[in-house]
Tab-separated table of all heavy atoms in Angstrom:
chain	number	residue	atom	x	y	z
A	17	ASP	N	0.687	-3.564	-7.054
A	17	ASP	CA	0.760	-2.112	-6.817
A	17	ASP	C	0.957	-1.419	-8.167
A	17	ASP	O	1.283	-2.063	-9.165
A	17	ASP	CB	1.944	-1.785	-5.885
A	17	ASP	CG	2.085	-0.276	-5.639
A	17	ASP	OD1	1.062	0.373	-5.328
A	17	ASP	OD2	3.198	0.262	-5.782
A	18	SER	N	0.783	-0.106	-8.158
A	18	SER	CA	1.022	0.665	-9.379
A	18	SER	C	2.496	0.658	-9.766
A	18	SER	O	2.836	1.042	-10.878
A	18	SER	CB	0.564	2.106	-9.154
A	18	SER	OG	1.351	2.689	-8.136
A	47	ALA	N	2.135	3.981	-13.861
A	47	ALA	CA	2.244	4.785	-12.624
A	47	ALA	C	2.589	6.230	-12.992
A	47	ALA	O	3.203	6.458	-14.035
A	47	ALA	CB	3.338	4.203	-11.733
A	48	PRO	N	2.228	7.196	-12.163
A	48	PRO	CA	1.470	7.018	-10.935
A	48	PRO	C	-0.039	6.892	-11.181
A	48	PRO	O	-0.568	7.458	-12.131
A	48	PRO	CB	1.768	8.305	-10.156
A	48	PRO	CG	2.095	9.333	-11.206
A	48	PRO	CD	2.692	8.585	-12.358
A	49	TYR	N	-0.678	6.119	-10.305
A	49	TYR	CA	-2.139	5.985	-10.346
A	49	TYR	C	-2.793	7.186	-9.650
A	49	TYR	O	-3.907	7.566	-9.963
A	49	TYR	CB	-2.579	4.727	-9.588
A	49	TYR	CG	-2.492	3.416	-10.353
A	49	TYR	CD1	-1.760	3.294	-11.527
A	49	TYR	CD2	-3.156	2.288	-9.861
A	49	TYR	CE1	-1.691	2.074	-12.193
A	49	TYR	CE2	-3.097	1.075	-10.529
A	49	TYR	CZ	-2.359	0.969	-11.688
A	49	TYR	OH	-2.303	-0.238	-12.346
A	50	GLY	N	-2.071	7.709	-8.663
A	50	GLY	CA	-2.677	8.680	-7.744
A	50	GLY	C	-3.114	9.995	-8.350
A	50	GLY	O	-3.855	10.753	-7.732
A	79	ALA	N	-1.661	-4.016	-2.756
A	79	ALA	CA	-0.704	-3.299	-1.905
A	79	ALA	C	-0.585	-1.853	-2.375
A	79	ALA	O	0.517	-1.320	-2.524
A	79	ALA	CB	0.643	-4.009	-1.931
A	80	CYS	N	-1.724	-1.255	-2.610
A	80	CYS	CA	-1.795	0.102	-3.149
A	80	CYS	C	-3.057	0.744	-2.570
A	80	CYS	O	-4.168	0.266	-2.842
A	80	CYS	CB	-1.872	0.016	-4.668
A	80	CYS	SG	-2.098	1.588	-5.498
A	81	ASN	N	-2.890	1.778	-1.778
A	81	ASN	CA	-4.047	2.450	-1.168
A	81	ASN	C	-4.955	3.055	-2.234
A	81	ASN	O	-6.178	3.072	-2.091
A	81	ASN	CB	-3.568	3.583	-0.248
A	81	ASN	CG	-2.805	3.079	0.955
A	81	ASN	OD1	-3.361	2.918	2.029
A	81	ASN	ND2	-1.521	2.803	0.782
A	82	THR	N	-4.337	3.536	-3.295
A	82	THR	CA	-5.087	4.204	-4.367
A	82	THR	C	-6.003	3.205	-5.084
A	82	THR	O	-7.195	3.459	-5.285
A	82	THR	CB	-4.090	4.837	-5.363
A	82	THR	OG1	-3.180	5.656	-4.629
A	82	THR	CG2	-4.792	5.657	-6.408
A	124	THR	N	-2.093	9.791	-1.830
A	124	THR	CA	-2.233	10.340	-3.184
A	124	THR	C	-3.562	11.107	-3.292
A	124	THR	O	-4.462	10.936	-2.462
A	124	THR	CB	-2.235	9.226	-4.252
A	124	THR	OG1	-3.432	8.452	-4.123
A	124	THR	CG2	-1.024	8.325	-4.113
A	127	THR	N	-6.652	8.750	-3.288
A	127	THR	CA	-6.984	8.228	-1.951
A	127	THR	C	-7.630	9.318	-1.102
A	127	THR	O	-8.631	9.074	-0.415
A	127	THR	CB	-5.710	7.695	-1.250
A	127	THR	OG1	-5.114	6.702	-2.083
A	127	THR	CG2	-6.025	7.088	0.101
A	154	VAL	N	5.731	9.892	-5.344
A	154	VAL	CA	5.711	8.537	-5.925
A	154	VAL	C	6.719	8.455	-7.081
A	154	VAL	O	7.495	7.492	-7.186
A	154	VAL	CB	4.287	8.176	-6.415
A	154	VAL	CG1	4.307	6.949	-7.304
A	154	VAL	CG2	3.367	7.939	-5.215
A	188	GLY	N	-0.112	6.939	3.985
A	188	GLY	CA	-1.257	6.300	3.325
A	188	GLY	C	-1.021	5.978	1.868
A	188	GLY	O	-1.958	5.989	1.059
A	189	CYS	N	0.215	5.701	1.527
A	189	CYS	CA	0.575	5.273	0.165
A	189	CYS	C	1.760	4.347	0.345
A	189	CYS	O	2.682	4.650	1.121
A	189	CYS	CB	0.965	6.480	-0.688
A	189	CYS	SG	1.795	6.038	-2.243
A	190	THR	N	1.738	3.212	-0.337
A	190	THR	CA	2.761	2.199	-0.063
A	190	THR	C	4.154	2.588	-0.576
A	190	THR	O	5.134	1.920	-0.255
A	190	THR	CB	2.339	0.836	-0.644
A	190	THR	OG1	2.040	1.002	-2.040
A	190	THR	CG2	1.120	0.300	0.078
A	191	HIS	N	4.239	3.647	-1.363
A	191	HIS	CA	5.563	4.142	-1.764
A	191	HIS	C	6.246	4.905	-0.614
A	191	HIS	O	7.466	5.044	-0.604
A	191	HIS	CB	5.449	5.095	-2.961
A	191	HIS	CG	5.258	4.414	-4.285
A	191	HIS	ND1	4.083	3.799	-4.643
A	191	HIS	CD2	6.107	4.243	-5.340
A	191	HIS	CE1	4.209	3.296	-5.862
A	191	HIS	NE2	5.427	3.559	-6.310
B	319	DGL	N1	1.481	3.027	-4.041
B	319	DGL	C1	0.212	3.566	-4.325
B	319	DGL	C2	-0.613	3.778	-3.057
B	319	DGL	O1	-0.415	3.076	-2.091
B	319	DGL	C3	0.054	4.757	-5.209
B	319	DGL	C4	1.127	5.224	-6.062
B	319	DGL	C5	0.664	5.894	-7.323
B	319	DGL	O2	0.230	7.065	-7.276
B	319	DGL	O3	0.744	5.227	-8.334
B	319	DGL	O4	-1.464	4.621	-3.008
Side-chain angles (χ1 to χ4, degrees):
D17 178 48
S18 63
Y49 278 16
C80 175
N81 294 264
T82 307
T124 68
T127 303
V154 166
C189 166
T190 54
H191 282 72

